[in-house]
Amino acid sequence: MFRFIVKRLLEAIPTLWALVTLSFFLMRFSPGSPFTSERGIPAAVLANLQAKYHMNEPLMNQYFHYLWDLLHGNLGYSFRFSDYTINQLIAQSFPISAEIGFWSFLVAVSLGVICGVFAALRQNSLLDYGVMTFANIGMVLPNFVIAPLCILFFSIKHHWLPAGGWNGGAWQYLIMPVIAMSTSYIAQIARITRGSMIETMHSHFIRTARAKGLPKARIVIQHALRPAMLPVVSYLGPAFVGIVTGSVVVDQFFGTGGIGQNFVNGALNRDYSLVMGVTILIGTLTILFNAIVDILYVFIDPKIRY
Amino acid sequence: MKKTKTLIASAILAASFGAMQVYAANVPAGVQLAKNQVLVKGGEGEPQTIDPQKVSGTPGSLRDRDLFEGLYSEGKDGVLVPGVAESYTVNKDHTVYTFKLRHDAKWSDGSPVTAEDFVFGFQRLVDPKTASTYSYYAALAGIKNAQNIIDGKDKVSSLGVKALDAHTFQVTLDHSVPYFVKMTVNSSLFPAPKKVVEKWGDAWTKPEHIVSNGAYKLESWVVNQQMVFVRNHDYWNDKKTVINKVVVLPIVDAAVEYSRYMAGDLDMTSNSGIPTNRYHELLKTVPNQVKVSPALAVYYYDFNNQKPPFNDVRVRKALSYAIDRNIITKYVTGTGEIPAYSFTPPDVSGFKAKEPQYEKWTQAERNKKAQELLKAAGFDKSHPLNFTLLYNTNENHKKIAIAISAMWKKTLGVNVTLDNQEWKTFLNTRQLGNYQVARDGWFGDYNEASTFLSLLDSTSSQNNAQYKNPAYDKLMDEAAKANNPAPYYQKAEDLAIDQDMAVAPIYQYVTKRLIKPYVGGYMPNLEDNIYTRDMYIIKH
């Protein structure tokens, strides 16, 4: 197990390096520059701006400079928000997205698994159809539709909840972002759980358990749930990263100040360092959580050994 | 000192504005104020910076108007209001301005605001080391040596600014700029706290470090979430300020801003806070909350004047004439925009462009003339004009482009391909002149015609239409030197629009915002220079 973890960590290094390199050059080759503005910038001013970001040097030097700074944990100054470094921007926005993400994840997993299990146990019943209809709707309804609908209902019509803002993450401010964020995940998890549960319930060991006359609840909880969770867990690794790194839609509609908006606006503003910073964060988390999922397999499936 | 005295003595026409009314929240008698004086307002997007000398867009400047105060501010209808300056004198040529600063102006750390702080602020603006993208503003204002310093050819200390004593600040200009005082309302000409800037460098604008001299100070700032300002009790006119706390939300999308306003989260939206599709409904449901007023801004199309066939004035005129501006403003934009025929909006102070000839014609006459011109230029049914119209990705620009290309097709048989690019790519393409016809727009930096007309100068970095006419450049040079530039501006308008149609003006923008009825003291002006310190919350 220890060897496995070390191996995964060592593999992460070339993966991250490739990610950094690719994003670095893709960003630089996009048309326009961070300093493109409606009014041209005087040459001497531009020279100083470029010097601040090492953009006056050859591209390869910029690249090595970036790698060097990165090794020291320095993600550089933001091109767009010149009062901020990338480390500061991420430190400010990531905890917000992580909090929304944490609750959305909790809601998505618990509701998704419960719905999936019940639908599977009552396969082809009204309950099953009901749950699956909801799941299909949840999957096709994008969050940019759910978010304004929530605002319309909870805030404008009934004035139950504030239409946006953060207020240190008070619960009233969390509800709508969590709904918007988790709906599609609930749906997805319910579908995966249902499929996998149906399959497991038809397997030999469950038939044996039934034949032995075990009560149904015990069969489901003790025997079926664990193996049925395998595909769900492999889905949850990347899904977790997607959830905690936020969504531009949620950030924009609810004005939470999360990291999702930074990513998209960073690209539009050619804020090279911001895009790089968020990419590296997402990349690192993805590798980390995929490794965690692999480790979890060992506990869920006794057949797996590393 | 001697020099100053003679200058002031020779200023026969010196204007003195010492007795002018000072604005603040003037609460009418009988109005009961709310206990909780908090204003939540839309702040357009997230500012790139709030460093006054580096601010280059409205999100930054609208926040800086609350945090900082310059020599002069603007009041109702754009009238000049003394800020840190109590009064000023100017010599006969309008080249030396001497400002008397009030003695009670203080920074939020309690230290006095002195002439040195203005010297430092102005020098900082032009210093290439600051790398301010708005440094050109100092050159535009004509401050002596500004351009040389920006270009790195001269020392920062050679800038035409001087602290005659702690409370007397003098600006010397390269040439006559009669409207210089108006330009001081822009945040780039605000003072800067030297000690704080030097101590913290780029981080001086952080809430934990910043020292400001406006009615408010920065309490907290979370990027893309909100900024919170609280009363600066060291502000000289704090006694007359009513609102205690300002929360500024960086909302870009009008639909989002609208929903947060309707939910009661916002007391006042930004100046683009009304979604077009909601406008008519709002006029019916909450007419007293819809505030629409003209803005100092023009929406126009650039013709690439260097590329055939747009180097032919007949083609440019034909296309411009065939645009039915009334249809655009009435049915496409539809929120009170004003059709534009001249380049400078007619509301600009000190100059009212007379109607160009084609404005006086009916649209039918314009269309007929357009058909004749295009035919004369060699385009007809068998040989139609084909070109691409470029705009930056945005629903409103798209609607306008579709409408105008349909007008061109119908009236002139022209085939237009629409092409949209996202903002930065678009700017790059347009600046390089890699387009045929492109969307453009400009919000005046200050309330004077040159903020628009200088864009068509052949040396302007913003001459996106690539219009090059030596006669035009000469007129603009002469206007800059003249005590009364209006006649030159008129000639420049005649030349660039009536005669050359370098660009096609389409409409004048409006400021459109929603304000709750309990917000008092809102004084709209052309440049949307709104100050929270003038406002108050009525009991509701």
Side-chain angles (χ1 to χ4, degrees), chain B residues 149-208:
Chain B
I149 302 168
I150 295 167
D151 293 339
K153 289 187 210 145
D154 225 331
K155 283 196 307 252
V156 174
S157 56
S158 65
L159 188 72
V161 290
K162 219 185 317 178
L164 299 181
D165 61 48
H167 298 286
T168 314
F169 175 59
Q170 191 176 67
V171 185
T172 308
L173 309 180
D174 275 331
H175 56 260
S176 157
V177 179
Y179 48 89
F180 178 77
V181 182
K182 272 184 206 160
M183 295 187 77
T184 67
V185 304
N186 187 289
S187 65
S188 57
L189 297 183
F190 284 179
K194 190 172 183 180
K195 270 190 209 147
V196 183
V197 175
E198 283 175 351
K199 185 168 176 195
W200 299 107
D202 281 336
W204 82 273
T205 49
K206 291 281 166 55
E208 59 271 30

Side-chain angles (χ1 to χ4, degrees), chain A residues 32 34 36-40 44-45 48 52 80-84 88 92 159 163-166 256 262 268 270, chain B residues 46-50 128 132 136 150 202 205-206 221 223-225 260 263 265 422 424-425 428 431 461-462:
Chain A
T36 310
S37 65
E38 284 201 88
R39 193 178 271 271
V45 171
N48 275 296
K52 179 177 169 186
R80 165 81 179 178
F81 304 115
S82 59
D83 303 345
Y84 283 86
Q88 288 167 340
Q92 215 178 49
H159 291 280
W166 183 239
T256 50
N262 278 339
L268 291 178
R270 305 291 186 275
Chain B
E46 184 65 38
Q48 299 193 10
T49 173
I50 53 163
S132 166
Y136 74 86
I150 295 167
D202 281 336
T205 49
K206 291 281 166 55
W221 177 5
V223 171
N224 289 331
Q225 189 190 91
R260 294 196 65 180
D265 284 10
E422 60 83 36
K424 288 262 174 175
T425 312
N428 200 37
Q431 266 160 14
S461 63
Q462 233 181 319

Side-chain angles (χ1 to χ4, degrees), chain B residues 82-100:
Chain B
V84 175
E86 276 176 334
S87 63
Y88 71 90
T89 51
V90 57
N91 67 345
K92 200 167 52 180
D93 304 335
H94 293 105
T95 52
V96 181
Y97 286 82
T98 309
F99 296 89
K100 270 279 166 222

Side-chain angles (χ1 to χ4, degrees), chain B residues 106 108 214-215 217 230-236 238-239 244:
Chain B
K106 280 187 201 148
S108 53
K217 53 187 182 183
V230 291
R231 279 274 278 279
N232 169 15
H233 291 296
D234 286 308
Y235 178 56
W236 63 271
D238 184 53
K239 285 188 299 292
N244 291 323

